[in-house]
Structures are given as structure tokens and as C-alpha cells.
Amino acid sequence: MSVLEQNIEKLQGLLARFQEGGIKNRIAGEDRDGSGGQFENSSPVDKSHICQVARGEAADIDAAATAASDAFAEWRDMPAVQRRKILIAIAEGIEARAEDIALCECWDTGQALRFMSKAALRGAENFRYFADQVIQARDGQHLQSPTLMNITTRVPIGPVGVITPWNTPFMLSTWKIAPALAAGCTVVHKPAEASPLTARLLVEIAEEAGLPAGVLNIVNGFGEDAGRALCEHPKIKAIAFVGESRTGSLITKQGADTLKRNHLELGGKNPVIVFDDADLERALDAVIFMIYSINGERCTSSSRLLIQESIKDDFEAKLIERVNNIKVGHPLDPTTEIGPLVTQEHYDKVVSYFDIAKDDGATIAAGGEPLGDEGYFVRPTLFTGANNQMRIAQEEIFGPVLTSIPFKTEEEALSIANDTLYGLTGYVWTNDLTRALRFTNKLEAGMIWVNSENVRHLPTPFGGVKASGIGRDGGDWSFEFYMEQKHIGFATGQHKISRLGVQ
Ligand code: NAD
């Protein structure tokens, strides 16, 4: 039996229970049907039915928010060492089930196993990292003034909502849920409707690890009803959101009446700038990896290549050869590099850019067409001869599609790089240190890597500027979001208090 066949067999074993009973919502440690009935979940690999999913609406969000609110005091007041133990047990549970998580994630989203097995383990790392921060999460400062000893402490903000997208949904949800739990918050998670499987596995692992009922609740459903109700719910104190920029703006509007604190991680149209003095072999590897891995369905993908004109022809020729060699195939085949796109809707969107590129006058140098007729596969695509005004250079396509734009000077590269609504990441390839310092100083992005692909280090801040987001994840920045700063001043003596109303 080939590895692919073995993986399919394992997956079938894992899916049997979902096919039989569907996926229910999980509220206060209990399975509950959705008040909106059910919706269907299917696989992008061959469009086959996976399972029915509970369709949560406002009433289910209300039940989950109430459960999270009821569980809050116990979780907040649990000794930090005990909370830490539970988070470590969740990390161990994820590691033990990493293969199951990866197989389900691939089938649900179309992502290739070679990337998803690592993504599952990164989910465990998120829990381990924040478990280690639990003990000091509440620590503050003491700031002495002439008359007062001022101290600060942090307290968890309360029950929070987590709304996640369908790209690497397991890893992204742990990225939000782990620091929220470490901070002492309780959570209502609304996973993306296109990829509900691994959110269910996570809550099961968490409860088996000893997480008290109601601390993590899952309500499946659609953005416009379950998602909206979560943003509007008065018991939910903050929303951690990952998704499209236009949805981020809706999240802000929906939370206005309840003065919600929002953390928004949104879209990107990230530039990778390759200067002619760079290590071009490494640059080529990184350019390819950062747009064609994870199906290009990655917020930090370098979807605009800015290439210096003096090296353009040679670099693009090598790029075309490599892109044409990328292996598109079944996501459970360990040799596959690109799987199918997540849904029909997203496939239609990505495919529409093949015509848009032609209409704009760009050249399709590689790919530019769908592949097969079973699932949502497209060929990895490279557009050349583009300029930064074209839609293929301005809009987030979110697929394995790269737009190459030439530049002559450093000033021109900077102006093209910054000429976008977005500002999530930037990648700069040069061996001129002074240029790298000058360039990164002016590049409008929340995260920049020089002579490197995106390498995530959990203590560093993750987030974007402009339409790419508001707020930061990672390290103590996560706690700044999930916790409130509290100041308490103690008088150190009998300082003068102004006396009013004294005759
Ligand atoms: P999306 O915005 O369509 O959906 C994301 C989530 O929001 C889903 O759970 C959806 O149901 C929910 N939602 C939709 N409308 C809502 C509403 N009115 N109120 C509340 N919730 C609502 O995004 P998507 O298509 O699932 O994901 C792809 C997008 O996510 C891309 O733009 C990508 O760049 C972005 N993303 C950003 C980051 C980052 O860290 N910056 C990471 C991953 C993905």
C-alpha cells in the first residue's frame, strides 16, 4: 500500500464518527445542535461530502457566551501553576494527535500534508509557549511618586470571542486560544464555516487535558449570523479576529455598541524585493516558498515580486522553470507541494485573475489555468510584465499566484512596495547592509525579514499596518490584548488633600 493509500485509510477511520454524528457545537462541555439546523461540509479534493455541521445562530452564541461568562471566575482564579499544567497537557494532547489533526486539516482545506503536519505541531508549541508565560502574566510594575506607591497589575479582560479563517485553521486558532486561556480568559470560538473539523478536535483535546467545561466553547456557523452575534454580545469583552480586511471593518462596526476591544489580523499583498547584489539562489528559494507553499493561501505570502531590472530576465527564467516543476496533487500524498484551493467560491475567485491578468496586459509566464475537474486545483501561476497599478498587483488573490514587477532603483522599489492598501509583511534581499537598514526603515509593513523567508519566533510581535490589521500577537503583546492593566496607588504618608466645603 502506498503512503497515500495508507493516509486515506487512516483518514476514513477518523472521519467515520463525523459522518455518522456530524459536528455539533460544544457549549459548557456539552454537545448541542445548532438553532439554525445544519450545513454541509465537503472536501475541496473531490467535492465529496464530509459531514453535517451544526449551524449556530444568535441563540447558540448567547448560550456559549453565558457558559464562558459562568466559567470565567473559576478559570481566572485558578492558581497559575494549575492553569499552566492544563495548557501543557493540551500541548501534549495535540502532539499525540498531530497526525489525526494534519490528516483532517488536509481533507477539510486542501492543504498539503507536508505543511500541515508541521502546522499541527506549531499549534502545540503555541500552547507550550504561553503555558510558560502564565505564572508572570499578572505581574506589574511599581512606580513610586513623592506621595504614593503606585503599583500596576494585569487582570484577564473576561470572556473573549475568537473568529478564525479557513487557511491553516488549527494553527491559527491555537495562536489566539492559547494566550487567551493563559491570560485567564474564557473563550467562544467561531471557526470558519469551510473548515470546522480541527476546531472540534481541539476542544476535545482541551477537555481531555482537564480544561473545565465552559472555558472553551465552539459555535459553528456563518459569519453573518454566528460571527456577527458573537461581536455584538455584551458578555463578550473582546474579539480576536483573523480574516479579510473588509470583514475586519464589519467586526469593528458590529462591536461598536458594546464597545468591544478588537484585534484584527487581516489581508496582505506583501512585496519581496530582490536587489541585484543579493544571494540570488537563496532569494529564489525563498520567493518560491513564500508564495507557493500552503497553496498561497497565506496572509504573509510574498505575492508581489519586485525584481531589479538588471537581473530580471535571468531570475524570471529560473523562476518559471521551478514553478512549472511544482508538484500539484492529492494533499495526503507526502510528495505533494500544492493541493486544491479551499472552496468553489475561492477557486472561482483565483481563476478569475487569469483573465484579469490578460486584460490588464500582463504575461502569463507559468500556469494560469485550472487543473483536472475533480476538485479545486489550479496550476501554480506566475504573471510577468506587470506594473503595480494592475489589479493583479493590488488585490489579494490568496492562491499560488505570483506577480513579478521590475524596478530600476532603490527609490523606485520602495515606492512600488509601499503603493498598496496593505502592510503586513515585506521581504528584502540584498547584501548591502546600509541599504537594508535604509529600506526597512521606510518600508510600510508590520513585519520585515531581510535575506530570509518568514520565520516565526513566538516572542516577537506579529501583525500588520494599514489595511492589514490592528494590534499584535506574540510574547507579551498577546497579554496586552487579553488583559486589562490596573493601577492602584497607596498613600505613603499624610500628603495634603485639597479640602472643599470647609468654612
Ligand atoms: P473571512 O474574513 O471571509 O472569514 C474569516 C472568519 O470571519 C470566518 O470565520 C467567517 O465566518 C467570519 N466572518 C465573516 N463575516 C463575518 C461577520 N460579519 N462578523 C463576524 N464574523 C464574520 O476570511 P477567510 O476568507 O476565511 O480567510 C482569508 C483571509 O484571512 C485573507 O484575507 C487572509 O489574508 C486573512 N488572514 C490574515 C492573517 C493575518 O495574520 N493577518 C492570517 C490568516 C489569514
Side-chain angles (χ1 to χ4, degrees), residues 38 41 69 92 105 108 137 146 153 158 241 259 288 308 355 381 392 407 430:
Q38 295 182 328
N41 182 31
S69 178
E92 287 167 353
E105 192 92 309
D108 219 5
T153 180
F241 171 76
L259 297 174
I288 294 168
Q308 196 150 24
D355 281 337
T381 297
I392 52 170
F407 71 86
T430 179

Side-chain angles (χ1 to χ4, degrees), residues 415-467:
S415 131
I416 297 172
N418 286 342
D419 178 18
T420 166
L421 287 175
Y422 297 104
L424 190 59
T425 63
Y427 306 87
V428 183
W429 286 85
T430 179
N431 274 323
D432 179 339
L433 176 64
T434 317
R435 169 194 275 158
L437 286 168
R438 204 168 44 226
F439 200 88
T440 52
N441 199 29
K442 295 210 168 141
L443 189 58
E444 293 166 1
M447 296 168 282
I448 303 172
W449 281 268
V450 177
N451 295 335
S452 174
E453 82 285 31
N454 171 342
V455 182
R456 178 86 188 107
H457 180 51
L458 289 175
T460 59
F462 185 104
V465 301
K466 295 156 77 175

Side-chain angles (χ1 to χ4, degrees), residues 164-166 190 193 241-244 247 254 265-267 299 396:
T164 46
W166 43 256
K190 208 298 282 171
E193 49 272 37
F241 171 76
V242 187
E244 283 190 32
T247 319
Q254 292 163 180
E265 284 185 8
L266 311 174
C299 55
E396 185 185 44

Side-chain angles (χ1 to χ4, degrees), residues 143-176:
L143 305 155
Q144 192 152 8
S145 68
T147 54
L148 294 167
M149 169 63 79
N150 299 284
I151 64 152
T152 70
T153 180
R154 283 194 300 204
V155 289
I157 190 168
V160 299
V162 171
I163 302 179
T164 46
W166 43 256
N167 66 319
T168 56
F170 182 81
M171 202 287 292
L172 282 176
S173 57
T174 62
W175 200 335
K176 302 288 172 189

Side-chain angles (χ1 to χ4, degrees), residues 284 288 313-326 364-366 382 384:
L284 184 68
I288 294 168
D313 290 347
D314 196 37
F315 197 86
E316 282 182 350
K318 288 185 179 145
L319 192 55
I320 293 166
E321 194 188 332
R322 290 273 293 273
V323 174
N324 283 329
N325 278 339
I326 290 176
I364 298 183
L382 172 67
T384 56

